Amino acid sequence: MPVPWFLLSLALGRSPMVLSLERLVGPQDTARCSPGLSCHLWDGDVLCLPGSIVSAPGPVLVPTRLQTELVLRCYQETDCDLCVRVAIHLAVHGHWEEPKGEEKFGRAADPELEESRNAFLQAQVVLSFQAYPTARCVLLEVQVPAALVQPGQSVGSVVFDCFEAALGAEVRIWSYTQPRYQKELNLTQHLPDCKGLEVQDSIQSCWALPWLNVSADGDDVHLVLDVSEDQRFGLSLYWNQVQGPTKPWWHRNLVWPLEPDSVRTSICPFREDPRAHRNLWRAARLQLLPPRGWRLDAPCSLPAEATLCWQAPGGGPCQSLVPPLPPANVTVNKALELPLLNVHPNLCVQVSSWEKLQLQECLWVDSLGPLKDDMLLVETRDPHNNRSLCALEPSGCTPLLSRASTRAARLGEQLLQDLQSGQCLQLWDDDLRALWACPMDKYVHQRWALVWLACLLFVAVLFLLFLFRKDQVKGWLRLLKEDIRAGPATRGRAALLLYSAEDSGFERLVSALASALCQLPLRVAVDLWSRRELSAQGPLAWFHAQRRQTLQEGGVVVLLFSPGAVVLCREWLQDGASTPAPQGPHDAFAASLSCVLPDFLQGRAPGRYVGAYFDGLLHSDAVPALFRSVPVFSLPSQLPGFLGTLQEPGDPRPGLLRERARLVSQALQPALDQLLKAPGDPGDPEDGTRDGT
């Protein structure tokens, strides 16, 4: 079956494969055309004289596209030559002349015009073929009924069989009409050799060639030749150098000498091998030449592009600049000039291949020093000389005087003033754009000055605080020092505080106690700090979870008695199994009585519970007798004993315990005094609960 040449080219690209070709019998050239066309091939070749382009007198047939296909022209079963079949696609070019004068107003048309429209469109199409060392030109006459076509419409194609060519040759094909109404079509292709086609048994010249197979195993490359003992051939290894002069010392004839005019075949096994490309880039070097030159040194030509970019200090990708380097292929081993007005250490050259960065070198690092913290401004001008400025940052090009939260936007006015006053260095300029580098050192110094000023102010505030409260600060520092010396064994015992939420003043007093205890080696839990969890779980569930966790960790539950708490306890004891209703949505004390009281009734409370009440709010006799089975302390008068009970076994020295009690008392006393002075507080004598019940 015929194989289209463009499919054959794809097959012979990245992964060569062997294909069979259609066979034509006999030496005669032939032509055939698609339905609706009639065609005739002139006998013999004609002279290839394109001539100049002339105007079409009306609609004419012109070639629009060339297609090729490989076939075999065979004289015997095993005597064939490679042949190129060419298909010429045709279309109508030009228009019929419109009637003038009387014909516009509906009168009879010109009989000659009607006759021309019923005639045939005819064209003489020349097909020129060149393949060193031969050249041929053939002439085909094509015609189509004029009534069946429209201007610009494709009318079909003509197929010519065929032009003989040598294996591995480069062929060039042209097509045009006589006379010529448009530019000729042209096509250039490289034909495959014996290895790419199933022609070993058909083309005799392929019989004498050895067959090559190349395989790579790591860094080792194996070349295998399939050749008989009586064959004579030459084998050469060479660079396929496209750019620059040839390098004959890389061209070696390995075996027998070549015979004149011998049939040749070639293979480039590493053209698409990624390992070969990696090795090539490892050998390449990017050099920057003073004052503004650069050069890419490589063993051979490379498919690469070079761009100019801006490298900011502190890392990050180098940001591409457009222009000044045009996106064109790089000429290796040749010095090139950068179109810059001034140089800058942050300007770098990048070389990429297949959209992958291969090499990068920053300009003149040795002579200009390290990268600078300069801001690159990009100026853009329109044809009316209106200009706009933006600053190149990692997030993009930020317009000056914008409201963005970037450094360039915050310093937009200052940068614009620096540019107008001539403090910026112009790097590049053309009619529409310009690049400017503006120093940022003075703004960096201003920023650090503000930081140092803030630090000094903070130190001054700490010093003043130390002067006003030096005794308390010294006490906390001594406690911290002792805690560090004591080690982790004496720190971090858990303590759960339970109280009855009577009013905001009492809650502030409990909060002051909890905060002061947190400064000691204690982990305090109180419902004041867990209101969200308390609302989500409910008071009873929250208390159960906190009590279980505290006791499992060897902690202690602290019962803070107040007049309201005493009333709740007595109501529970008097009612027996009934549980008092909670006093509020966050009152964990009322909800906890169902668990706390059974521990006391069954004798499980000692070592796990501690009681406390506040001086002036409750008398010691007011605490129910059931709860006196555990230590009950009055705060802050009995703080040393209270803190000693909360500590883990192995309490610190008595002096340290007294110091801690003094600090907790200082934190607790203001809140207690405020509660006692408030009108209508729970400790008012009129209520009978300040010193008794």
Side-chain angles (χ1 to χ4, degrees):
M1 120 179 225
V3 180
W5 169 239
F6 71 94
L7 291 179
L8 180 62
S9 300
L10 293 177
L12 296 178
R14 185 178 297 271
S15 301
M17 58 183 296
V18 177
L19 299 175
S20 59
L21 302 180
E22 179 185 354
R23 290 170 172 260
L24 303 179
V25 179
Q28 296 297 325
D29 296 336
T30 60
R32 65 181 186 275
C33 48
S34 58
L37 297 178
S38 60
C39 53
H40 170 70
L41 175 64
W42 278 35
D43 295 334
D45 292 353
V46 298
L47 294 177
C48 301
L49 299 174
S52 58
I53 298 177
V54 299
S55 300
V60 293
L61 291 179
V62 293
T64 58
R65 184 163 59 95
L66 294 177
Q67 254 185 318
T68 58
E69 181 183 331
L70 290 184
V71 296
L72 290 178
R73 169 166 285 172
C74 298
Y75 307 97
Q76 295 181 3
E77 183 68 21
T78 59
D79 185 11
C80 301
D81 290 326
L82 191 63
C83 211
V84 180
R85 171 183 290 167
V86 183
I88 312 168
H89 295 265
L90 302 171
V92 177
H93 175 72
H95 300 272
W96 299 102
E97 293 184 358
E98 295 295 334
K100 298 180 180 180
E102 297 179 354
E103 289 81 354
K104 290 184 180 180
F105 301 96
R107 299 186 180 181
D110 189 351
E112 294 183 359
L113 180 60
E114 292 295 331
E115 182 179 357
S116 64
R117 291 186 177 181
N118 295 328
F120 288 87
L121 291 182
Q122 184 173 347
Q124 291 185 339
V125 181
V126 177
L127 201 56
S128 174
F129 178 86
Q130 290 186 6
Y132 180 83
T134 62
R136 294 186 58 193
C137 280
V138 297
L139 181 63
L140 299 101
E141 288 188 351
V142 186
Q143 62 179 9
V144 62
L148 301 181
V149 299
Q150 295 294 331
Q153 176 185 356
S154 176
V155 298
S157 61
V158 180
V159 178
F160 171 76
D161 284 328
C162 59
F163 295 114
E164 295 182 12
L167 291 164
E170 181 183 84
V171 300
R172 297 182 179 181
I173 304 171
W174 290 269
S175 179
Y176 52 90
T177 59
Q178 286 186 345
R180 188 158 64 98
Y181 301 117
Q182 64 181 19
K183 186 178 180 180
E184 67 271 10
L185 301 179
N186 63 84
L187 181 66
T188 301
Q189 291 179 341
H190 292 271
L191 303 185
D193 53 25
C194 295
K195 189 175 179 63
L197 301 170
E198 192 178 294
V199 294
Q200 299 182 41
D201 299 330
S202 303
I203 300 179
Q204 297 180 3
S205 60
C206 291
W207 297 354
L209 284 176
W211 295 95
L212 289 78
N213 287 308
V214 179
S215 62
D217 182 13
D219 294 333
D220 299 328
V221 178
H222 303 280
L223 176 64
V224 181
L225 297 176
D226 183 8
V227 59
S228 62
E229 294 181 356
D230 56 350
Q231 280 184 302
R232 292 178 56 83
F233 66 94
L235 176 64
S236 298
L237 298 181
Y238 63 95
W239 286 105
N240 185 15
Q241 184 78 7
V242 177
Q243 298 179 358
T246 59
K247 300 183 178 181
W249 52 89
W250 285 338
H251 183 288
R252 296 184 57 192
N253 189 358
L254 298 185
V255 288
W256 299 276
L258 293 171
E259 296 180 358
D261 299 328
S262 60
V263 178
R264 302 184 182 187
T265 184
S266 63
I267 179 174
C268 296
F270 309 112
R271 186 186 302 273
E272 304 295 338
D273 192 335
R275 293 170 299 182
H277 284 266
R278 286 196 296 267
N279 292 336
L280 184 57
W281 279 110
R282 290 193 189 103
R285 295 291 181 270
L286 179 60
Q287 295 186 13
L288 300 176
L289 310 173
R292 299 179 183 88
W294 68 283
R295 183 177 66 195
L296 177 62
D297 295 329
C300 59
S301 58
L302 291 169
E305 292 184 353
T307 56
L308 199 63
C309 63
W310 179 266
Q311 180 65 64
C318 194
Q319 297 176 276
S320 298
L321 302 178
V322 181
L325 294 184
N329 289 336
V330 177
T331 302
V332 300
N333 305 321
K334 179 182 178 181
L336 302 173
E337 192 75 14
L338 292 173
L340 296 173
L341 300 177
N342 295 284
V343 295
H344 194 280
N346 293 27
L347 289 175
C348 305
V349 175
Q350 288 182 337
V351 178
S352 305
S353 178
W354 306 110
E355 299 183 355
K356 180 181 179 182
L357 178 62
Q358 300 290 351
L359 298 172
Q360 176 177 318
E361 193 73 23
C362 292
L363 303 179
W364 313 288
V365 175
D366 295 336
S367 59
L368 298 181
L371 300 177
K372 296 182 178 180
D373 188 21
D374 291 357
M375 184 69 68
L376 184 71
L377 301 185
V378 181
E379 179 183 352
T380 304
R381 311 185 189 99
D382 61 14
H384 303 289
N385 204 27
N386 297 320
R387 69 174 188 171
S388 61
L389 289 166
C390 65
L392 193 64
E393 295 185 292
S395 59
C397 206
T398 305
L400 296 186
L401 307 180
S402 68
R403 297 182 179 180
S405 59
T406 63
R407 183 172 69 159
R410 292 192 297 269
L411 301 174
E413 294 184 0
Q414 293 91 325
L415 290 173
L416 189 58
Q417 294 176 0
D418 292 345
L419 180 63
Q420 294 172 350
S421 61
Q423 300 182 37
C424 299
L425 178 67
Q426 188 174 26
L427 305 179
W428 173 79
D429 186 24
D430 70 356
D431 295 337
L432 299 178
R433 280 166 291 202
L435 298 177
W436 303 83
C438 298
M440 301 290 290
D441 296 341
K442 57 182 179 181
Y443 303 114
V444 174
H445 294 160
Q446 292 177 1
R447 181 180 62 185
W448 282 111
L450 293 176
V451 172
W452 281 111
L453 182 60
C455 293
L456 292 175
L457 181 61
F458 179 72
V459 171
V461 171
L462 290 180
F463 181 72
L464 292 176
L465 181 63
F466 179 78
L467 291 179
F468 285 114
R469 307 186 65 178
K470 62 180 180 179
D471 294 336
Q472 186 174 359
V473 172
K474 288 181 179 180
W476 289 121
L477 291 178
R478 282 196 299 269
L479 289 179
L480 179 61
K481 182 178 180 181
E482 293 294 334
D483 290 342
I484 294 175
R485 289 179 177 177
T490 60
R491 296 196 301 268
R493 190 183 187 191
L496 174 61
L497 303 187
L498 292 179
Y499 69 98
S500 177
E502 300 185 4
D503 57 13
S504 58
F506 191 76
E507 286 187 343
R508 284 194 296 269
L509 181 60
V510 173
S511 178
L513 176 62
S515 300
L517 294 179
C518 285
Q519 305 299 326
L520 307 178
L522 289 172
R523 290 182 289 111
V524 179
V526 64
D527 63 350
L528 284 172
W529 300 342
S530 305
R531 288 293 172 84
R532 180 175 298 178
E533 298 176 6
L534 201 66
S535 299
Q537 300 176 11
L540 186 60
W542 179 86
F543 167 73
H544 276 295
Q546 295 294 328
R547 172 182 172 274
R548 182 174 59 253
Q549 180 179 353
T550 300
L551 296 181
Q552 286 177 352
E553 296 176 356
V556 62
V557 178
V558 179
L559 301 177
L560 295 177
F561 290 99
S562 63
V566 170
V567 172
L568 289 175
C569 292
R570 289 178 176 174
E571 289 178 356
W572 199 97
L573 292 173
Q574 291 174 1
D575 295 339
S578 63
T579 303
Q583 300 300 306
H586 306 303
D587 197 340
F589 185 85
S592 67
L593 290 178
S594 60
C595 294
V596 170
L597 292 179
D599 286 344
F600 281 88
L601 293 173
Q602 298 174 12
R604 298 193 303 265
R608 306 167 73 182
Y609 289 83
V610 174
Y613 59 93
F614 295 100
D615 297 340
L617 292 182
L618 195 70
H619 195 271
S620 60
D621 295 337
V623 178
L626 178 65
F627 297 99
R628 296 176 190 172
S629 59
V630 299
V632 179
F633 300 95
S634 179
L635 305 181
S637 59
Q638 297 178 352
L639 266 174
F642 177 70
L643 297 181
T645 304
L646 297 183
Q647 297 293 338
E648 293 276 6
D651 290 340
R653 298 188 306 272
L656 179 60
L657 192 60
R658 287 194 299 270
E659 180 65 21
R660 289 177 175 174
R662 186 180 66 82
L663 293 175
V664 174
S665 178
Q666 290 180 356
L668 189 62
Q669 194 64 49
L672 180 59
D673 293 341
Q674 183 179 5
L675 181 61
L676 294 175
K677 293 178 181 179
D681 59 79
D684 196 293
E686 297 179 0
D687 296 335
T689 58
R690 178 168 183 175
D691 295 321
T693 58

